[in-house]
Amino acid sequence: MTGSLAVATTVAAHAEATLPAVGVQRAAWLLLVFPLFGAVVLLLGGKRTDRWGHLLGVAMPLAAFAYALIAFAAMLGYPAGQRSRSVQLYSWITAGAFKVNVGLQLDQLSICFVLLITGVGSLIHIFSVGYMAHDPGRRRFFGYMNLFLAAMLLLVLADNYLVLYAGWEGVGLASYLLIGFWQYKPTAAVAAKKAFIANRVGDAGLSLAIMLMFTTFGSVTFGGVFRHPGAASPGVLTAIGLLLLLGACGKSAQLPLQSWLLDAMEGPTPVSALIHAATMVTAGVYLIVRSGPIFDLSPDARLAVSIVGAATLLFGAIISCAKDDIKKALAGSTMSQIGYMMLAAGIGPAGYPFAIALLLAHGFFKAGLFLGAGSIMHGMNDEVDMRRYGGLAAVMRITTLTFGACYLAIIGIPPFSGFFAKDTVIDAAFHSGGTGGWILGICAVIGAGLTAFYMTRVMLMTFAGKRRWDENAHPHEAPPVMTWPVILLAVGAVGFGAWEILGDRLAKFLGPVSGYTPPEPAVFSTSGIVVLALAVVAIALAWAMYGRRPVPGTAPAARFPVTAARRDLYGDAINESLLMRPGQWITRLSVYFDNRGVDGLVNTVAAVIGGTSGRMRRLQTGFVRSYALSMFLGGVLLVGALLLARI
């Protein structure tokens, strides 16, 4: 099957038979061991690890990143079609025909995620050393962070859907612990529960998809499912694709399961950077791209993925335009940028590499933006309201420069990474064919304009204009342990774009996995020029609204569109009306039926038997005269019956 991940599976088996085993790639399980070891020591070691726990928490992701670089170099030593390696660790489940091994698959797709997770994750860990320096639970925090990385690595390295699901659930658990890390705050506890429950809805879709795969293909391994996906009926393939999409919507905060992402800002800012930039929210994109052979044969499922992505990218962008909380503005931006990736993934093989390219670029600039927001909060007594910022460029120069570099990347200014990564997605949307392609492309262009507007708004309200600080605030630059990770992320936001401009290298690298053969790249496409012009207009509009005019300390009253955006476009209200309320009614009806129907029938039978036995028990008096009288009356009745019978 051309253009599918089945090619990679077949080639991997051939490579194992014809090439000597690569020891480094064979030991890919070490990628999991490093952060898992850190999590076990920090979470079970107790207070004795408080003094040096954060150092171990940083060392383990760095060790995993170093090993990932070595594995990547080893992979490049082989021809493009022979770079995939499968590592079988042990037999996990054996129940009749259902057999599952714990196995890892290190190929071009998984190594991209491994490098992103361990590389950006390590920088976030280093930043956290300074950010959490005075928190009494710092050792526990690093334990949760290491656990999160281990689960995420298991998710992207798994060679079958059941092991992927184990990592998927591990990520859900770790995110719950991190979002609710400050559980003494009611808002943090509620946000953690909300994220956990919303993700359970998506997880139900993924679990049902895995069950349907086994009943259809007799296997849950990537090789078993992707070997002959055409053997399933179109309806079954569409059902599997839609269930996978439901799972992706939960983890990647796509409509209609998006509402948890904004509330998740209640966790420490490094958690926001880790979850919302490089790891958890990208898991849904990975799931769609990894399951490419299924979506390739189901146009309806692919169209649903693109529609969800297009709707979410507009949804998140509109919300970000009205947020005064800097972290929530960036969270809405994450929702929107993941929407771009989902849109590209829904295009099929022609969109898979561009979804991954934007995902990698997003990992750099969005992590840089969140950590920059953390530096601002560090210097502003944890203040998150941008209306109380202003003029910070004068006192936080490093943060201003790094945040500005990431800002230019996300709005798509060349030669920053966001331009080349997002331009290819928009161009692929327009070329996906038919009226639908034009609609998707127009949505993507509008989203790019909105991105330029709300990110310029964030820049102006934070770093420009007059100082609107509280009299108790004394903003200052963060210490080097916090600024250096942000500097490296800003360099990555620029460097990844420079790497892309030299040729479509990522698309070529992912070719054996995605099935896409890139044409000769054009530095500027027509859509890219249009988007760039629109970005300039949006920047000018934001300047006119927030740069030339003084920013009021409190948000002014607004009419419906702005009010709706401030209330997250009523996402919670819609979910409550469409999902929660009907669920309550169904639950109450079920309870009523159970109480009056099932329990009523059982209780009636029991009451009849109990009442009958109670009345019959009265005949057992224990007096001989009563029994004699009963025998006498019985004898009289018997004799009478015999006499009547003879007559």
Side-chain angles (χ1 to χ4, degrees), residues 369-389:
L369 290 170
F370 267 115
L371 294 187
S375 295
I376 295 168
M377 293 171 59
H378 180 268
M380 289 289 292
N381 296 331
D382 291 329
E383 179 62 65
V384 294
D385 189 349
M386 293 185 292
R387 294 185 179 276
R388 300 183 182 275
Y389 291 167

Side-chain angles (χ1 to χ4, degrees), residues 313-332:
L313 75 88
L314 293 175
F315 193 94
I318 293 171
I319 289 174
S320 292
C321 289
K323 289 296 182 183
D324 294 331
D325 185 320
I326 187 171
K327 290 178 65 176
K328 290 192 175 182
L330 296 177

Side-chain angles (χ1 to χ4, degrees), residues 41-388:
V41 171
L42 294 175
L43 295 178
L44 301 182
K47 294 183 178 180
R48 65 178 65 91
T49 64
D50 284 349
R51 291 185 178 180
W52 48 266
H54 59 287
L55 300 178
L56 178 67
V58 171
M60 292 299 98
L62 284 173
F65 178 59
Y67 199 89
L69 289 174
I70 296 172
F72 178 60
M75 179 182 290
L76 294 179
Y78 284 91
Q82 300 175 344
R83 289 173 173 168
S84 179
R85 292 289 181 275
S86 180
V87 181
Q88 298 301 312
L89 300 181
Y90 59 90
S91 178
W92 182 19
I93 299 175
T94 301
F98 186 67
K99 298 180 180 180
V100 179
N101 295 331
V102 174
L104 307 179
Q105 180 168 308
L106 195 63
D107 60 11
Q108 291 92 325
L109 179 60
S110 60
I111 196 66
C112 286
F113 277 83
V114 168
L115 289 170
L116 178 68
I117 294 166
T118 56
V120 176
S122 295
L123 294 176
I124 296 172
H125 276 71
I126 295 172
F127 180 92
S128 300
V129 173
Y131 191 86
M132 302 294 290
H134 304 292
D135 195 292
R138 182 170 67 166
R139 183 258 310 164
R140 178 169 54 90
F141 175 81
F142 278 95
Y144 291 160
M145 294 276 278
N146 276 209
L147 178 63
F148 186 95
L149 286 191
M152 192 68 199
L153 288 170
L154 178 63
L155 190 159
V156 300
L157 286 170
D159 75 341
N160 64 77
Y161 280 100
L162 198 60
V163 176
L164 181 151
Y165 187 78
W168 192 273
E169 292 300 313
V171 167
L173 170 63
S175 66
Y176 168 78
L177 296 173
L178 287 169
I179 295 171
F181 180 75
W182 291 323
Q183 69 270 20
Y184 57 84
K185 296 169 54 179
T187 52
V190 171
K193 289 188 288 185
K194 184 176 181 179
F196 192 81
I197 293 171
N199 275 270
R200 296 292 73 72
V201 177
D203 295 351
L206 178 57
S207 62
L208 290 173
I210 295 172
M211 297 176 195
L212 189 54
M213 287 177 193
F214 178 73
T215 58
T216 304
F217 304 108
S219 175
V220 295
T221 65
F222 296 152
V225 174
F226 299 159
R227 190 172 293 116
H228 303 292
S233 66
V236 171
L237 289 173
T238 299
I240 294 175
L242 293 178
L243 289 171
L244 290 173
L245 174 60
L246 179 60
C249 287
K251 277 290 182 287
S252 293
Q254 300 292 283
L255 292 171
L257 301 177
Q258 82 293 341
S259 61
W260 67 268
L261 188 68
L262 294 164
D263 290 352
M265 295 298 101
E266 291 294 334
T269 301
V271 173
S272 303
L274 187 66
I275 291 178
H276 302 150
T279 53
M280 179 174 171
V281 292
T282 63
V285 180
Y286 171 80
L287 179 66
I288 300 297
V289 175
R290 178 61 81 185
S291 305
I294 295 174
F295 288 94
D296 292 347
L297 296 178
S298 178
D300 293 338
R302 284 197 291 113
L303 179 61
V305 173
S306 290
I307 291 174
V308 167
T312 307
L313 75 88
L314 293 175
F315 193 94
I318 293 171
I319 289 174
S320 292
C321 289
K323 289 296 182 183
D324 294 331
D325 185 320
I326 187 171
K327 290 178 65 176
K328 290 192 175 182
L330 296 177
S333 172
T334 296
M335 191 189 306
S336 179
Q337 298 302 305
I338 300 296
Y340 274 102
M341 302 172 206
M342 295 291 284
L343 187 155
I347 295 172
Y352 294 150
F354 305 132
I356 301 303
L358 181 56
L359 186 150
L360 296 176
H362 181 264
F364 286 111
F365 59 67
K366 184 52 65 66
L369 290 170
F370 267 115
L371 294 187
S375 295
I376 295 168
M377 293 171 59
H378 180 268
M380 289 289 292
N381 296 331
D382 291 329
E383 179 62 65
V384 294
D385 189 349
M386 293 185 292
R387 294 185 179 276
R388 300 183 182 275

Side-chain angles (χ1 to χ4, degrees), residues 338-562:
I338 300 296
Y340 274 102
M341 302 172 206
M342 295 291 284
L343 187 155
I347 295 172
Y352 294 150
F354 305 132
I356 301 303
L358 181 56
L359 186 150
L360 296 176
H362 181 264
F364 286 111
F365 59 67
K366 184 52 65 66
L369 290 170
F370 267 115
L371 294 187
S375 295
I376 295 168
M377 293 171 59
H378 180 268
M380 289 289 292
N381 296 331
D382 291 329
E383 179 62 65
V384 294
D385 189 349
M386 293 185 292
R387 294 185 179 276
R388 300 183 182 275
Y389 291 167
L392 291 180
V395 292
M396 304 181 71
R397 290 186 175 87
I398 296 177
T399 299
T400 303
L401 292 175
T402 55
F403 199 97
C406 296
Y407 152 73
L408 293 174
I410 192 174
I411 68 174
I413 301 298
F416 294 84
S417 58
F419 173 79
F420 302 101
K422 193 179 297 183
D423 177 48
T424 51
V425 171
I426 297 173
D427 199 48
F430 277 113
H431 288 86
S432 60
T435 305
W438 275 90
I439 294 174
L440 295 176
I442 291 172
C443 289
V445 169
I446 295 173
L450 291 173
T451 302
F453 175 81
Y454 69 70
M455 284 307 305
T456 303
R457 177 178 180 268
V458 170
M459 283 294 297
L460 294 174
M461 292 181 68
T462 302
F463 299 104
K466 296 182 179 180
R467 302 179 178 183
R468 302 181 298 277
W469 315 332
D470 186 273
E471 58 182 10
N472 296 321
H474 302 283
H476 56 276
E477 191 60 84
V481 72
M482 296 173 63
T483 55
W484 273 108
V486 184
I487 292 172
L488 293 176
L489 289 170
V491 171
V494 180
F496 189 77
W499 184 71
E500 281 285 297
I501 199 174
L502 296 176
D504 217 340
R505 297 187 177 188
L506 183 63
K508 295 176 181 177
F509 177 72
L510 292 173
V513 181
S514 66
Y516 175 68
T517 303
E520 288 299 320
V523 176
F524 291 94
S525 64
T526 303
S527 62
I529 296 174
V530 172
V531 169
L532 188 58
L534 183 61
V536 173
V537 173
I539 292 171
L541 178 61
W543 169 257
M545 295 178 63
Y546 299 96
R548 297 181 61 186
R549 304 175 184 175
V551 177
T554 57
R559 296 182 179 180
F560 168 72
V562 177

